[in-house]
Amino acid sequence: MKGPNAKKRKTSHDQNNGRNDNQDDIFTSKPTAVFTPKGGRSHTLSIAIPGSIVANCHSVEQKSFLAGSIARALAVFCVDEVIIFDDDEKSNNTKKNNNDSNDANDSPITKTKHQISRDDSQPGGFTAYSDPSHYLAHLLSYLETPPYLRKHLFPMHPNLRTAGLLPSLDMPHHLRANEWCDYRDGVAISETVVDTGLPQKVNVTNEQYSDNARVTVRFSSQDEPDNADAVGSFAPRTEAGYYWGYSVRRCGPLSSVFEECPFDGGYDLSFGTSERGAPLTEVLKQDEGDGGGGDPGYKHLLIIFGGVAGLETAVRNDHQLREMGIRPTEAEKLFDYWVNILPGQGSRTIRTEEAVWLGLTGLRGLVEGTHRLRGSS
């Protein structure tokens, strides 16, 4: 048996290429689609969804399934940020009145990943009915967190009583103890010691943290797994090109999605989705260049999905947009592009969790650089 100091297996992206060495048959008992970084990435992909979609589900199991379906889409399509906004007037008024209070229902990931506190995820009780936005943020935050950190960052809570029904996301930062990566997420157990899920604890000398703070570290060498430097949670993406999970931001009405953008300069490209929008085929064209991988043509891309009654309802219930004179029929003015992600749909409605998958699929070419906006050079 290997000792605790044995080297960890470095995650390989070409181990047998999923093929059994002794046979010509494809070996499919284990997944082989391992994420391969392609160099530092500065551009980001964000989506915004209304928390009210949780209220449209009747049972607790349906609510959990909805959160799990959205989380799977975020992971599969490498979404960097998900924003949960309120599209009903009652929630907006409550949010406005309690804006300055220290509400125990605030999601732990409304803060950055480095500022999560155990106390932030401990509201008084089950919030799927009383505060659907908090419930959705809580579950999405829980699923994004590496499994070996969840016991530290997410105490037992009524919202997590159906956690066993939630799917695994298996993202690049959800590392096993026997997998090696130059970056790793951990939790501070003292000012300079971090538990990263490895057998040995990691000493961090360039920063000091409070207990139970979530920390991203970078190792200088696989030969020294007990020493590392603390880095920003965005460093794996910007330095090496890893997809390192998504942040969860909860905000008030639709206008606050833009106003509270965490990126310098805001979102420079935005899409609003509606059955009354233009088909994506009229908005995008295939790139005639090198087939993708270059400059995507934007810095921070935002895709906003509406709830049961569409984005027009979110505009109607946004007091700031009303003061600006923007009517529900003018919702498209808020976005650079107003698109229909599935023209000719066979069902009368497309659920938001379905629209997220469809929208991210339709805009995948733009994200990957294989497609460009029509009219752009």
Side-chain angles (χ1 to χ4, degrees):
M1 180 180 294
K2 294 183 178 180
N5 295 324
K7 286 187 177 181
K8 301 295 173 275
R9 176 175 63 85
K10 189 167 185 177
T11 302
S12 174
H13 305 293
D14 58 356
Q15 293 179 356
N16 298 330
N17 291 322
R19 187 175 294 278
N20 190 325
D21 290 337
N22 299 323
Q23 304 178 24
D24 290 333
D25 295 333
I26 296 177
F27 185 70
T28 60
S29 64
K30 293 183 179 180
T32 58
V34 180
F35 181 88
T36 305
K38 301 177 182 178
R41 172 173 64 89
S42 60
H43 59 275
T44 62
L45 171 61
S46 303
I47 73 166
I49 53 178
S52 62
I53 60 176
V54 173
N56 196 43
C57 299
H58 299 293
S59 69
V60 176
E61 291 76 14
Q62 287 177 324
K63 297 176 189 292
S64 298
F65 178 81
L66 179 146
S69 176
I70 291 175
R72 284 290 301 168
L74 299 175
V76 168
F77 290 98
C78 301
V79 174
D80 300 298
E81 179 195 29
V82 56
I83 307 113
I84 301 171
F85 65 93
D86 296 321
D87 63 351
D88 60 284
E89 193 163 17
K90 180 179 179 181
S91 296
N92 288 333
N93 290 335
T94 302
K95 184 80 173 181
K96 182 179 179 181
N97 294 334
N98 296 333
N99 192 42
D100 296 327
S101 65
N102 184 19
D103 188 353
N105 282 357
D106 281 347
S107 168
I109 315 286
T110 54
K111 304 177 181 180
T112 65
K113 292 182 181 180
H114 287 204
Q115 296 174 313
I116 299 173
S117 166
R118 288 168 59 91
D119 296 333
D120 288 334
S121 59
Q122 298 188 56
F126 188 62
T127 61
Y129 296 99
S130 61
D131 190 351
S133 292
H134 171 268
Y135 176 82
L136 183 57
H138 198 167
L139 264 61
L140 291 180
S141 302
Y142 174 83
L143 285 169
E144 187 278 337
T145 302
Y148 60 86
L149 295 183
R150 290 172 183 169
K151 63 181 179 181
H152 299 286
L153 301 176
F154 290 87
M156 293 182 64
H157 187 278
N159 284 349
L160 302 176
R161 66 190 186 190
T162 56
L165 300 176
L166 296 172
S168 170
L169 301 191
D170 205 14
M171 293 186 283
H173 66 303
H174 289 195
L175 295 161
R176 281 72 167 172
N178 66 334
E179 291 179 321
W180 177 261
C181 180
D182 292 338
Y183 300 88
R184 203 172 181 98
D185 276 358
V187 60
I189 57 178
S190 71
E191 289 185 348
T192 59
V193 179
V194 177
D195 181 356
T196 61
L198 296 173
Q200 65 276 10
K201 302 300 184 285
V202 176
N203 296 310
V204 175
T205 57
N206 63 329
E207 292 285 351
Q208 291 186 347
Y209 294 95
S210 59
D211 289 354
N212 294 309
R214 182 170 170 178
V215 183
T216 301
V217 300
R218 179 182 59 222
F219 297 96
S220 58
S221 170
Q222 188 174 355
D223 296 325
E224 299 182 18
D226 54 349
N227 289 289
D229 292 328
V231 295
S233 59
F234 52 83
R237 169 178 59 84
T238 58
E239 295 177 357
Y242 281 102
Y243 173 56
W244 212 248
Y246 54 83
S247 62
V248 181
R249 175 163 67 93
R250 185 184 172 190
C251 62
L254 179 60
S255 57
S256 63
V257 173
F258 297 93
E259 292 179 345
E260 300 171 8
C261 175
F263 305 113
D264 292 339
Y267 303 105
D268 57 331
L269 181 59
S270 62
F271 287 84
T273 59
S274 170
E275 62 184 23
R276 289 163 286 280
L280 281 174
T281 53
E282 296 180 5
V283 175
L284 301 179
K285 63 178 180 179
Q286 189 164 359
D287 190 4
E288 299 177 355
D290 57 5
D295 181 9
Y298 64 87
K299 293 182 179 179
H300 305 294
L301 169 61
L302 172 66
I303 311 168
I304 300 188
F305 300 91
V308 176
L311 284 172
E312 290 84 354
T313 296
V315 173
R316 178 183 298 110
N317 293 327
D318 190 320
H319 63 279
Q320 184 167 341
L321 294 180
R322 288 202 302 265
E323 292 174 356
M324 295 171 60
I326 298 178
R327 297 175 296 180
T329 55
E330 301 172 320
E332 61 184 288
K333 291 183 178 180
L334 298 174
F335 311 97
D336 295 313
Y337 294 92
W338 186 242
V339 297
N340 184 348
I341 55 177
L342 188 64
Q345 62 196 56
S347 175
R348 184 176 299 174
T349 59
I350 294 179
R351 298 176 64 90
T352 303
E353 63 270 29
E354 298 167 341
V356 169
W357 282 91
L358 291 169
L360 290 172
T361 300
L363 291 168
R364 182 66 172 172
L366 179 64
V367 174
E368 289 291 294
T370 60
H371 287 68
R372 299 285 177 178
L373 295 167
R374 291 189 180 275
S376 63
S377 56

